[in-house]
Amino acid sequence: MSHALLSRNADLKRLRDEGYFVQIRGSLLVMREVPYVNAKREVLTGTLISSLTLARDQTRPPDTHQVWFDGEFPCNADGKRITGIGDGAGDHNLGHGLTAKYHFSTKPGRNYLDYHEKMTTYAGILSGPAAVLKPNATPRVFREPEDENDGVFNYIETASGRVGIGALSDLLTREIVSIIGLGGTGSYLLDFVAKAPVREIRLFDADEFLQHNAFRAPGAPSIEELRDAPSKVDYLKGIYSKMHRGIVAHKTRLTADNLPLLDGTTFAFLCLGAGDAKRVIVGKLEALGVPFIDSGMGLELVDGSLGGILRVTASTPEKRDHVHQGRISFAGGGADDVYSSNIQVADLNALNAVLAVIKWKKIRGFYRDLEREHHCTYTTDGNQLENGDRA
């Protein structure tokens, strides 16, 4: 994909044709071996890094005039710092194996027209003084771009690179996530997890995607799709495989007979009703040492309106006792639990999934987790969010 982008876009191709050592890492445009002068008047080489704005596989005008630079602060030929480019010093971890020491900002009185203009402008500012001290110093080294790992997405994920959080996204790249139950909450979980760079997403559900499911799942199926009564896992895989390459559909209920399907899982989301099946799944995940999150919802219809509680219970190798002390139910919800009758509550399904995904990312270090709660409830009446069972 990286070579294709360099070839298909005139601004990127021009950079390569002119001899600049450019490559794409994740959603970042990288220019390597740019000569510059340091404070000791030594000629060194550094790396310029820019976010990359794309529409599918076509570059758009740069959304920012800023770049990162990995190297010492660039100076003029006399060893004095170059002015007018800012001084955003720091240890910038951009992910994809890229780091930077400075964040620079300069533009030619307007926004840059394309990435050729942007990158060559910065390269000229840095390499000009180097050429004074060393006439053959040039960023046009005519080196071929290295092969790139295209990752799990069908197109480059540009959101992280734009804001410099690629290193956080890297925390999720080794995950093999199992989503067990693709009803309302499970389908929204898939929507969020599919946008993360996890290695694989395994879907488990034996049911068909029927008309009532359409009103408690993300997206909008056509009537023709509903008439075909596809399985939930196949229908949802068809949607999200357009983005993520690593989705595996298992049209089955997990039982004691097929639990090996969970082998290799690194994190699991449980979105299924109470019963013996949940008990054996929990036992399997605990035996594997896999952290998991169980999501639940209890609703009541009282005086013509709905009210209830959403629950997100995490279980990690560091803390599992609460799971077996009543936090997760292995029995049915009773006659008053109207959720089991497929009442349409897409907004609460989505919120339940959001809370679960946030907790997953906390466990993996993506979000700050000061309290390390393993049990969270949201009550609709009063808009109350409460934490418990801290590790």
Side-chain angles (χ1 to χ4, degrees):
M1 185 187 301
S2 300
H3 286 296
L5 282 173
L6 289 166
S7 299
R8 293 173 184 170
N9 290 279
D11 52 347
L12 303 184
K13 185 176 184 299
R14 186 179 172 191
L15 285 170
R16 185 176 64 179
D17 291 346
E18 291 177 359
Y20 294 97
F21 182 13
V22 292
Q23 59 184 168
I24 295 171
R25 300 292 297 272
S27 60
L28 301 171
L29 177 60
V30 182
M31 180 183 286
R32 298 190 183 276
E33 299 188 21
V34 178
Y36 70 97
V37 177
N38 68 2
K40 297 178 182 179
R41 302 185 69 231
E42 299 169 323
V43 176
L44 306 176
T45 60
T47 302
L48 287 168
I49 306 167
S50 171
S51 61
L52 191 60
T53 302
L54 296 169
R56 194 177 176 183
D57 59 355
Q58 297 295 310
T59 57
R60 306 293 294 171
D63 64 324
T64 174
H65 54 275
Q66 300 171 335
V67 298
W68 291 278
F69 180 67
D70 196 29
E72 299 178 35
F73 196 94
C75 298
N76 292 304
D78 59 4
K80 294 181 180 179
R81 286 190 166 201
I82 295 175
T83 59
I85 59 174
D87 185 2
D91 293 320
H92 305 284
N93 188 339
L94 306 178
H96 315 289
L98 297 171
T99 59
K101 292 295 184 183
Y102 296 97
H103 197 211
F104 294 150
S105 174
T106 188
K107 60 181 179 179
R110 52 170 172 73
N111 294 329
Y112 290 108
L113 299 176
D114 58 26
Y115 286 98
H116 178 274
E117 181 185 30
K118 179 179 180 179
M119 300 304 284
T120 56
T121 296
Y122 278 99
I125 292 172
L126 271 60
S127 64
V132 174
L133 299 179
K134 188 176 180 180
N136 64 344
T138 175
R140 299 170 67 171
V141 296
F142 289 92
R143 192 184 304 281
E144 286 294 322
E146 300 172 2
D147 290 336
E148 300 293 344
N149 179 5
D150 287 334
V152 297
F153 294 113
N154 288 317
Y155 41 87
I156 292 178
E157 187 270 291
T158 56
S160 300
R162 292 178 66 181
V163 291
I165 61 170
L168 293 178
S169 295
D170 284 352
L171 296 173
L172 307 176
T173 56
R174 296 184 179 181
E175 290 278 53
I176 298 176
V177 176
S178 288
I179 302 177
I180 306 166
L182 272 295
T185 300
S187 59
Y188 278 102
L189 273 167
L190 173 59
D191 186 89
F192 300 129
V193 175
K195 296 175 175 65
V198 300
R199 187 193 313 174
E200 184 178 313
I201 306 171
R202 300 177 184 176
L203 310 180
F204 295 92
D205 200 303
D207 294 336
E208 296 175 329
F209 191 88
L210 303 177
Q211 192 156 325
H212 67 270
N213 299 115
F215 292 90
R216 50 186 287 201
S222 67
I223 188 63
E224 290 77 19
E225 289 173 305
L226 293 174
R227 285 171 181 159
D228 291 337
S231 69
K232 287 180 181 177
V233 294
D234 289 337
Y235 170 74
L236 292 167
K237 177 183 177 180
I239 294 174
Y240 291 99
S241 289
K242 297 174 183 177
M243 171 182 278
H244 200 291
R245 299 173 178 173
I247 300 177
V248 180
H250 295 283
K251 186 182 177 182
T252 185
R253 288 185 177 85
L254 283 172
T255 67
D257 296 328
N258 60 6
L259 287 178
L261 290 173
L262 290 173
D263 291 348
T265 297
T266 63
F267 201 95
F269 292 97
L270 278 60
C271 308
L272 68 165
D276 291 337
K278 178 180 283 191
R279 191 182 302 276
V280 298
I281 292 168
V282 167
K284 173 68 172 179
L285 294 172
E286 289 178 342
L288 292 173
V290 173
F292 65 87
I293 290 175
D294 181 77
S295 300
M297 186 184 305
L299 301 176
E300 293 180 319
L301 181 62
V302 177
D303 296 330
S305 63
L306 286 171
I309 298 174
L310 312 185
R311 174 185 57 80
V312 171
T313 303
S315 175
T316 64
E318 295 73 31
K319 183 169 180 59
R320 297 200 190 274
D321 58 313
H322 61 300
V323 168
H324 301 283
Q325 295 173 357
R327 289 306 196 189
I328 293 180
S329 174
F330 296 102
D336 292 332
D337 185 3
V338 295
Y339 179 72
S340 61
S341 65
N342 288 328
I343 192 167
Q344 311 306 322
V345 284
D347 46 1
L348 294 183
N349 288 134
L351 178 57
N352 214 4
V354 165
L355 294 173
V357 168
I358 289 173
K359 183 56 191 177
W360 163 51
K361 291 185 174 181
K362 282 185 177 182
I363 291 171
R364 291 312 190 208
F366 188 96
Y367 290 127
R368 187 179 302 114
D369 191 2
L370 299 179
E371 295 193 8
R372 300 179 64 198
E373 83 287 347
H374 277 56
H375 183 73
C376 172
T377 60
Y378 170 78
T379 305
T380 58
D381 184 17
N383 205 38
Q384 297 178 337
L385 191 64
E386 297 183 357
N387 292 335
D389 296 319
R390 295 175 176 85

